[in-house]
Amino acid sequence: MLIIQSETDVESIFSPYVALLRQCVHEAWNDWSESGLAAQMQTKSFRAQYLNNQIIFRAKQATDGRSDVRVDKIRGNHGFVFKNRVFVRPKYAREGYRSSNYPTRSAVAFHDQSVDLFEGIARLELVFTLNKLGTAVQNICLTQRHQRQIQWIYPLVEPAAQSQGNLVPLNREEREASPADRIIKSKKSHGNDQSDQHKRGGGSV
């Protein structure tokens, strides 16, 4: 199983890259806001696809020439590769910090941590949510899923708000409720409506 279970492991891998990941998401959002496409948006799935594309674009710029982190495409997935140990793909997330994917064989396999897709490289997602009005990025987190269950959430909060013990393991019961109050401790429940992810019926994964 390629599941990262220790907060020490998460910290040792990602603490040097929190600002980089946050920067790529915010720059992608700025690209969207300033492009003029937001006013022309007809389907919210278009926004999610545009933001994912721009995160990858900005990541390529930010990691150019670095040996510790790179942007790569592995088995059709674009994302960050950290120290040849972990692959992280960006995804827009709905309520509950779970991305929605059309259930192709490869999409299902990506979240099945018992399947070694990338020759020993663990697979995570960099997920971001928007506020209720869809006018700003609200939360940015690293998550790892096994099948339909989120294993843990690691919020990439601003340095001033970050504290130790940020890794939030989730069990099956906790998965049913939004973990917003548990992971962003400085915020009260904000009643996000992240249902603007393109609906693909009940079969999305």
Side-chain angles (χ1 to χ4, degrees), residues 10 16 154-155:
V10 176
Y154 185 72

Side-chain angles (χ1 to χ4, degrees), residues 40-58:
Q40 303 172 25
M41 182 178 70
Q42 301 300 306
T43 62
K44 293 179 180 179
S45 60
F46 170 71
R47 176 180 60 194
Q49 293 167 358
Y50 179 93
L51 288 170
N52 286 346
N53 180 84
Q54 292 305 112
I55 291 172
I56 294 300
F57 172 72
R58 292 297 185 174

Side-chain angles (χ1 to χ4, degrees), residues 104-118:
T104 62
R105 181 177 297 179
S106 61
V108 172
F110 187 92
H111 289 304
D112 186 349
Q113 304 298 335
S114 65
V115 178
D116 185 1
L117 288 180
F118 299 165

